[in-house]
Amino acid sequence: MPRFFSLAVLLATAFAVATSTASAASLVSNPVQRPNPPDSVGIRLVDAPADLIRDPRARQYIIDNLEPGVIVKRRIEVSNKSAADLRVAVYAGAADIRKGSFTGAAGHGRNELTTWIKTGQRILDIPAHSRARDTVTIVIPKDAAPGERYGVVWAQVNGRDQGSGITLVSRTGIRLYLSVGGDNPPRAQFTVDNMTAGRDASGRAVVYAKVHNTGGRALDLTGTMKMSQVSGSISAGPYMVDPGTTLAPGQSEPVRVVVPDQVVDGPWDVSLKLKSGLLEETHRARITFPNGPGMAAAVPSHRDEPSSLNRSLISGSAALVLLIAATLTTVRSYRRRAGDDES
């Protein structure tokens, strides 16, 4: 009876802690801290630009304003705070600022800035309670567009699988705020102003999305579209965007998506993911197809952005997984000790 009571208390504690952390957004702080397995790793910036030496942010994050064609190097220090030797992966990941939060992308998310960054070593073997230094090199292309980019230099440790099928990952990082000057044209960007549902002469469903190139670079658009019925559980897609749409800066043209399946009029919630190079955005709209050949009225679309609630749920789920894994490990250890005592 005492064994089952101890297990119940342990599980209840794990779920209580997970619930209390579910409201914490998955943010990049100073330094970035994620739920850690027993192994622990830290990272810090060793040096800062001479003209920003008095700026406390420049001592915590990689901050710089650079011209196209410039190469800069920043030294970092990665620390092993555990009692075991660690293999630490060092890499650059994408980040963004949305709704007042600096958020690092999950996994090895990429953006334009990450393609400019190289670390001296991809893997650092660090003995217990020791530190190792590495160099982050940033190469600004000569044709880089002006504007600020965001990223994170991560130090990541993959924990050991304790037999539960769950591999714990711990990572901590340094934010990057990199502003590019110069006279190059602005970066690539676009908006989707509206979407229009229609049917061709054969009754086949077609969606047109009006894309406006608001940046300074030409766009070669590709993408996919998904649909979900508003009053039901039917989903359709993904359907490919017709290839071949190229927009010069300032131009607006529709991209077309043909729906080969037979679908009812709707209404449908549409998710359109468009890409041009590394630029990728998702836009949503609610559309209704006409009953016969012709076009319905255009409806406004909006860019898809993850809500703070979604980020909180993701963070809470990660914390819960880690706590469950730790609980399973503790229970196994408890059972082994109990078996030894009985024998």
Side-chain angles (χ1 to χ4, degrees):
M1 183 69 177
R3 296 180 186 175
F4 289 106
F5 177 75
S6 300
L7 175 59
V9 171
L10 184 58
L11 287 171
T13 303
F15 276 93
V17 174
T19 303
S20 68
T21 59
S23 61
S26 177
L27 305 180
V28 179
S29 58
N30 174 38
V32 184
Q33 294 294 345
R34 299 295 175 92
N36 282 333
D39 298 331
S40 185
V41 62
I43 188 172
R44 74 177 184 91
L45 187 62
V46 176
D47 45 25
D51 55 342
L52 296 175
I53 196 64
R54 295 185 179 181
D55 184 348
R57 291 175 68 244
R59 295 195 296 270
Q60 301 169 359
Y61 315 129
I62 298 178
I63 300 174
D64 221 326
N65 182 21
L66 303 171
E67 295 293 315
V70 172
I71 300 176
V72 296
K73 297 179 184 291
R74 295 285 182 268
R75 291 181 299 162
I76 60 172
E77 184 176 84
V78 181
S79 57
N80 177 0
K81 304 176 183 179
S82 73
D85 296 349
L86 292 182
R87 290 181 63 84
V88 183
V90 183
Y91 63 94
D96 199 2
I97 298 177
R98 292 185 181 180
K99 297 183 179 180
S101 298
F102 187 103
T103 307
H108 289 246
R110 300 173 68 244
N111 60 10
E112 185 181 29
L113 177 57
T114 63
T115 65
W116 304 348
I117 299 173
K118 290 184 178 180
T119 56
Q121 302 181 66
R122 294 184 179 181
I123 299 294
L124 296 175
D125 291 308
I126 309 177
H129 304 297
S130 300
R131 300 175 181 181
R133 289 192 175 184
D134 199 2
T135 300
V136 177
T137 302
I138 307 172
V139 181
I140 312 299
K142 293 182 179 180
D143 62 346
E148 191 166 54
R149 279 92 166 165
Y150 311 109
V152 185
V153 175
W154 293 109
Q156 176 175 307
V157 174
N158 293 334
R160 293 178 293 273
D161 187 346
Q162 303 294 336
S164 61
I166 300 174
T167 300
L168 306 183
V169 174
S170 174
R171 67 177 187 173
T172 181
I174 300 173
R175 299 185 191 184
L176 290 111
Y177 299 84
L178 187 63
S179 176
V180 178
D183 299 324
N184 288 335
R187 72 174 70 183
Q189 57 185 4
F190 64 85
T191 61
V192 177
D193 299 333
N194 55 59
M195 297 189 198
T196 305
R199 292 188 185 273
D200 61 18
S202 64
R204 185 177 56 174
V206 182
V207 176
Y208 294 89
K210 186 178 180 181
V211 182
H212 182 202
N213 185 345
T214 57
R217 307 299 173 96
L219 302 174
D220 292 299
L221 295 170
T222 61
T224 57
M225 184 187 75
K226 295 181 180 179
M227 305 193 308
S228 60
Q229 197 171 20
V230 174
S231 58
S233 58
I234 299 177
S235 297
Y239 304 113
M240 298 297 296
V241 171
D242 283 355
T245 301
T246 299
L247 296 178
Q251 292 183 346
S252 295
E253 291 291 340
V255 296
R256 188 180 76 151
V257 183
V258 175
V259 180
D261 301 320
Q262 292 184 353
V263 294
V264 298
D265 296 344
W268 297 88
D269 283 330
V270 171
S271 172
L272 177 66
K273 181 185 292 185
L274 290 177
K275 296 178 62 177
S276 179
L278 292 174
L279 177 63
E280 179 179 308
E281 291 188 8
T282 300
H283 292 256
R284 297 182 183 273
R286 179 166 291 183
I287 63 173
T288 301
F289 295 100
N291 186 256
M295 303 296 293
V299 296
S301 64
H302 62 275
R303 181 183 175 188
D304 185 26
E305 295 188 8
S307 66
S308 58
L309 174 61
N310 289 340
R311 289 195 297 265
S312 299
L313 291 175
I314 291 172
S315 178
S317 299
L320 179 59
V321 169
L322 292 169
L323 285 166
I324 291 174
T327 302
L328 292 174
T329 302
T330 304
V331 169
R332 288 194 184 92
S333 177
Y334 176 83
R335 287 177 176 173
R336 284 196 297 270
R337 289 198 301 271
D340 293 341
D341 293 342
E342 289 176 357
S343 63

